[in-house]
Amino acid sequence: MATEETGGVELSEAQIAVHWREEEYYHPTNKVIAGANASDPAILERFAEENFPDCFREYAELLSWDQYWHTTLDTSHAPFWKWFVGGKLNASYNCVDRHLVDKANKAALIWVPEPLDEPTQAITYRELYRRVNEYAVMLRDFCGVKFGDRVTLHMPMVPELPAIMLACARLGAIHSEVFGGFSGTACGDRIADAGSKLLITIDGYYRAGQLIDHKVKADEAIEVAKKHGQTVERVMVFRRHQGRYLSETPMVDGRDFFVDDVMPQYRGQTVAPLSVPAETPLFLMYSSGTTGRPKGAQHCHGGYLAYAAGTTKFYLDVHPDDTYWCFADIGWITGHSYIVYGPLALGTTSVMYEGAPTWPDAARPWQIAERLGVNIFHTAPTTIRMLRKLGPDEPAKYDYHFKVMCTVGEPIEPEVWRWYYNSVGKKEASIADTWWLTETGGHIGATLPGLQPMKPGSCGPGALGIYPVLLDEDGNVVPRGSGVAGNICIRNPWPGTLQTVWGDDERFLSTYYRRYNRNPDSQDWHDWPFLCGDGAVESADGYFRILGRIDDVINVAGHRLGTKELESAALTVEEVAEAAAVPVRDELRGRVVELYVALKPGYSASKRIEDGVVEAIEREIGKVARPKNVWIVPDMPKTRSGKIMRRVITGISNFSDVGDTSTLANPEVVEEVRQQVQTAKRERGEVPVEAGEGS
Ligand code: PRX
């Protein structure tokens, strides 16, 4: 919906934040300030625009370089920025080897399995070094992995995942981890796009008290990749319990191997970390965009790692002796940057939890925090909402003390923020509401926990060395404090930014840069604002409220789902002629998906077709994308040119204004669909609180 209030930016009703009121500041406690990595305002000066790009040397100097760089930022091939050019290093060395000198016996990872009767595992830096080396030898000698090869991982939250990522990095191979909850089909698409010949997976894992068969997805993935012309030659299968195979699917002779069967021959072997130029790709992370095909954001050893380490140090306030728990999944960028690369580069202890936040009940996170002495806690609004709903009084019963808490992935409602602050943080902890994207590698908007006041619902100002700006449709700057929304862009390059979209430079240019580029031949970074894809409002104090995606992306519980991907999945159902996916406000998950479908002539609506659509989405994408409702409608509201008006059905699903319908080709259908959907929703008790009677 483009209104005066949103400054003409196309925002759907559901994307408009529920909090427009200016919130009051919360200040960090003296204790947090006293212990913080950033408490002196001089840091803001050091990262001020006049010191760009050299300010980022401070991040790069957190790493160990085999060869120092000669050029901090090379803009000659804009906007394919190169950071720390001439520098050589290895991410695996930086996260593991270099800590052996003084931290060999310190826990690098503490892994908490979901089942209560399984013991927690502490993996020291020495032990991690052994595992990473042995896996690297296995990858090289058993799987034939070489420098630059892509290796697809489809792994849940087990400690083998970070170890195998670091093993790939050691060889200069590029890992591409696919979120474990994604389907075999989604994994197969990503294998094909990356051109991987090797898949690393596991037989099963625990989630919400269930043992999930995971290997079955590998077989599907390989079939799908093959259809796209990509042959997977080898599948390495970890076993959740050594020596015991949990999956129902048979191992394929000559293709599938158990990791624990082949590992004994590599016991104690090591491989030197390959010293690579800073801009060597480290991994791909696929995310959804405007078109159906997910895009592989390419991140590198030098700039990315420096940025992950720097932001971990200053925004999560991680010190080596902290016990830090990021309650995200390594299958997403948050886990890459803030469970694995950032914390391990700084030599801290990073906690990993296998399962669901509320298993067996809503006290689990606080029990873990108490038991392990976690002092930095990191999670997403969807988890906070869920824990608040199921166990609002649980945190007070446990003796833990956080100094910093992070929230990431979607806007947090001020009311939820306050519960997080008062109850979870016990009024002692600073909250860092970190706004960023898969593509940015690390935080781009947040407050420094020991220096900048917090404001519920706002992420804060641009992160150190990041200069955001709101632009309107014509590229004019939307003034600070005007209350008008704009497209939030970053004016400058930064080391964590994606290098390109894997195999598709054109898509990289068109997605992030074409919109506001002033001159395609320019080598001056000032001409290349980076389009983040979010709508935002900037308060007079320079704090940003992120309103949500402006493209066809639905952010469900902090996970990005492309409407096109969802609709394509629905269209695989025989009877479906048209499909439209819309975001619907949800108390716990922030947003959920509802699908509207119209059937081909000759078919009539049935529960079977609805179920078929749900199944298709789970099969093509994964359970994470499961729609809340499937509405089989007689027709879609359409423009005269035949475009489905998502704004209208989004309004219907959210009981909000559907906007002007006079220009539709079939305005009469709006009322019919509204009756159908809203009556059913009332019966199901799905009326939002703010939608009054008769709305
Ligand atoms: O809309 C923004 C939202 O999540 C999107 C990026 O999703 P993804 O690439 O999956 O990365 C998520 C983890 C970094 C953004 O475009 N988002 C992320 N963090 C916040 C947020 N929205 C509001 N506040 C945040 N702190």
Side-chain angles (χ1 to χ4, degrees):
M1 191 179 63
T3 65
E4 213 172 294
E5 202 177 38
T6 64
V9 176
E10 191 69 25
L11 292 172
S12 71
E13 189 69 24
Q15 288 166 327
I16 294 175
V18 284
H19 47 80
W20 288 95
R21 188 167 67 87
E22 268 300 312
E23 296 286 334
E24 276 166 21
Y25 287 127
Y26 284 62
H27 293 273
T29 64
N30 288 340
K31 200 167 164 202
V32 170
I33 296 170
N37 279 322
S39 55
D40 181 349
I43 194 169
L44 303 174
E45 297 297 314
R46 296 204 298 278
F47 282 86
E49 198 168 336
E50 60 269 24
N51 296 323
F52 179 85
D54 281 336
C55 54
F56 282 117
R57 296 168 81 102
E58 188 165 336
Y59 282 10
E61 279 161 4
L62 295 171
L63 307 180
S64 301
W65 294 79
D66 303 323
Q67 190 176 300
Y68 210 67
W69 63 92
H70 53 69
T71 306
T72 303
L73 172 64
D74 173 357
T75 63
S76 60
H77 190 33
F80 297 89
W81 318 113
K82 286 198 181 125
W83 283 89
F84 313 121
V85 183
K88 289 179 92 175
L89 79 170
N90 182 287
S92 178
Y93 176 85
N94 271 279
C95 292
V96 188
D97 305 42
R98 69 171 177 154
H99 303 311
L100 296 182
V101 183
D102 56 348
K103 302 185 189 76
N105 292 322
K106 174 184 157 57
L109 297 165
I110 297 181
W111 181 60
V112 183
E114 192 190 75
L116 290 163
D117 55 2
E118 263 191 69
T120 293
Q121 283 182 24
I123 299 161
T124 62
Y125 276 96
R126 185 194 304 281
E127 168 68 12
L128 183 62
Y129 172 82
R130 279 192 75 112
R131 291 192 194 187
V132 169
N133 272 283
E134 290 173 357
Y135 290 152
V137 180
M138 174 194 80
L139 290 172
R140 185 191 64 190
D141 296 352
F142 192 78
C143 308
V145 172
K146 296 185 299 300
F147 173 82
D149 284 354
R150 278 78 58 211
V151 178
T152 298
L153 321 175
H154 195 197
M155 295 280 288
M157 286 291 284
V158 292
E160 289 76 11
L161 172 54
I164 205 90
M165 287 161 63
L166 292 162
C168 290
R170 206 166 180 85
L171 301 174
I174 305 168
H175 59 77
S176 170
E177 153 71 0
V178 178
F179 171 55
F182 271 154
S183 66
T185 307
C187 179
D189 290 341
R190 288 156 176 77
I191 290 175
D193 190 84
S196 303
K197 288 184 283 198
L198 173 64
L199 172 64
I200 299 187
T201 187
I202 194 165
D203 57 348
Y205 61 98
Y206 295 92
R207 179 92 198 166
Q210 304 268 318
L211 176 63
I212 315 261
D213 183 344
H214 191 65
K215 162 65 167 58
V216 61
K217 293 183 177 175
D219 300 288
E220 290 160 12
I222 285 159
E223 277 309 301
V224 169
K226 202 165 164 188
K227 280 192 204 135
H228 292 300
Q230 180 63 34
T231 304
V232 173
E233 292 163 3
R234 189 146 286 191
V235 182
M236 299 305 297
V237 183
F238 281 102
R239 280 190 275 205
R240 174 65 177 71
H241 298 284
Q242 263 205 10
R244 221 173 91 205
Y245 185 47
L246 302 175
S247 173
E248 307 259 296
T249 38
M251 296 287 279
V252 175
D253 218 20
R255 188 196 74 183
D256 301 354
F257 296 87
F258 290 125
V259 176
D260 55 350
D261 274 351
V262 304
M263 284 314 290
Q265 56 183 309
Y266 303 118
R267 204 183 58 157
Q269 292 192 28
T270 58
V271 54
L274 193 69
S275 185
V276 297
E279 60 272 28
T280 305
L282 171 63
F283 67 85
L284 307 179
M285 172 58 65
Y286 282 85
S287 81
S288 294
T290 346
T291 67
R293 219 157 36 88
K295 45 185 190 296
Q298 179 184 313
H299 288 289
C300 67
H301 279 251
Y304 166 80
L305 191 64
Y307 199 70
T311 48
T312 303
K313 175 169 176 180
F314 294 121
Y315 287 97
L316 305 175
D317 200 30
V318 164
H319 298 68
D321 52 0
D322 286 322
T323 301
Y324 159 80
W325 181 16
C326 173
F327 201 161
D329 196 294
I330 299 177
W332 305 102
I333 190 72
T334 303
H336 275 50
S337 299
Y338 300 120
I339 297 177
V340 183
Y341 285 113
L344 296 184
L346 297 182
T348 196
T349 298
S350 185
V351 176
M352 280 179 74
Y353 170 58
E354 177 180 32
T358 52
W359 180 262
D361 55 43
R364 188 74 190 270
W366 323 127
Q367 282 162 356
I368 294 173
E370 178 187 84
R371 178 98 196 276
L372 303 181
V374 171
N375 64 344
I376 306 173
F377 183 71
H378 187 159
T379 192
T382 183
T383 307
I384 303 169
R385 288 185 210 111
M386 201 188 306
L387 292 168
R388 173 175 178 242
K389 179 159 187 203
L390 299 179
D393 304 322
E394 290 304 316
K397 299 180 191 160
Y398 295 88
D399 181 23
Y400 65 80
H401 295 277
F402 297 150
K403 60 171 182 170
V404 176
M405 303 192 301
C406 183
T407 163
V408 62
E410 50 175 324
I412 183 165
E413 298 78 1
E415 200 192 321
V416 177
W417 192 100
R418 277 187 274 273
W419 180 77
Y420 197 34
Y421 184 83
N422 293 328
S423 299
V424 178
K426 305 176 180 178
K427 301 185 183 168
E428 298 166 337
S430 279
I431 295 182
D433 181 346
T434 60
W435 166 66
W436 57 296
L437 288 70
T438 302
E439 293 87 334
T440 67
H443 313 138
I444 51 173
T447 48
L448 288 159
L451 191 59
Q452 294 166 317
M454 303 151 256
K455 198 156 73 171
S458 294
C459 66
L464 293 168
I466 301 282
Y467 322 120
V469 64
L470 298 188
L471 298 178
D472 69 14
E473 296 305 294
D474 304 320
N476 302 312
V477 174
V478 177
R480 185 182 269 199
S482 63
V484 172
N487 290 329
I488 188 163
C489 297
I490 308 301
R491 290 197 288 113
N492 60 306
W494 67 99
T497 189
L498 78 165
Q499 298 178 289
T500 186
V501 171
W502 175 256
D504 202 343
D505 287 350
E506 177 47 39
R507 201 166 171 205
F508 169 75
L509 287 168
S510 62
T511 310
Y512 309 106
Y513 288 107
R514 284 257 157 75
R515 177 80 175 268
Y516 292 119
N517 170 233
R518 292 181 200 104
N519 168 10
D521 299 321
S522 173
Q523 297 185 354
D524 178 352
W525 62 259
H526 294 87
D527 290 328
W528 295 93
F530 178 93
L531 178 72
C532 297
D534 280 314
V537 180
E538 183 178 8
S539 305
D541 56 8
Y543 277 38
F544 293 94
R545 287 176 174 190
I546 305 300
L547 304 177
R549 303 288 308 178
I550 51 169
D551 52 12
D552 293 329
V553 168
I554 305 180
N555 190 334
V556 177
H559 300 155
R560 258 160 86 174
L561 302 171
T563 47
K564 282 281 180 331
E565 285 169 83
L566 293 156
E567 291 159 6
S568 314
L571 288 168
T572 64
V573 177
E574 167 64 25
E575 298 88 347
V576 173
E578 286 177 317
V582 298
V584 177
R585 271 196 279 261
D586 182 84
E587 195 195 336
L588 290 182
R589 288 157 68 80
R591 303 275 179 274
V592 290
V593 174
E594 289 195 359
L595 264 166
Y596 283 72
V597 297
L599 303 181
K600 292 176 187 160
Y603 291 108
S604 47
S606 71
K607 176 87 175 47
R608 189 184 56 77
I609 301 178
E610 277 177 29
D611 292 346
V613 171
V614 173
E615 269 163 36
I617 286 173
E618 290 191 0
R619 183 185 66 238
E620 300 288 314
I621 305 171
K623 282 210 165 59
V624 63
R626 189 187 168 92
K628 179 155 187 187
N629 290 306
V630 175
W631 306 115
I632 302 180
V633 293
D635 198 4
M636 299 278 191
K638 287 193 193 126
T639 59
R640 298 214 170 90
S641 61
K643 198 170 158 241
I644 299 175
M645 289 298 282
R646 284 201 187 75
R647 155 170 70 78
V648 172
I649 49 182
T650 304
I652 292 176
S653 274
N654 287 287
F655 289 82
S656 56
D657 184 15
V658 298
D660 179 19
T661 54
S662 61
T663 56
L664 293 187
N666 53 353
E668 69 291 347
V669 79
V670 175
E671 209 32 55
E672 199 179 333
V673 173
R674 189 211 300 273
Q675 284 297 335
Q676 175 193 343
V677 170
Q678 295 189 345
T679 307
K681 283 187 152 235
R682 285 206 171 86
E683 281 167 7
R684 294 176 197 181
E686 291 177 14
V687 185
V689 195
E690 61 267 39
E693 270 306 298
S695 57

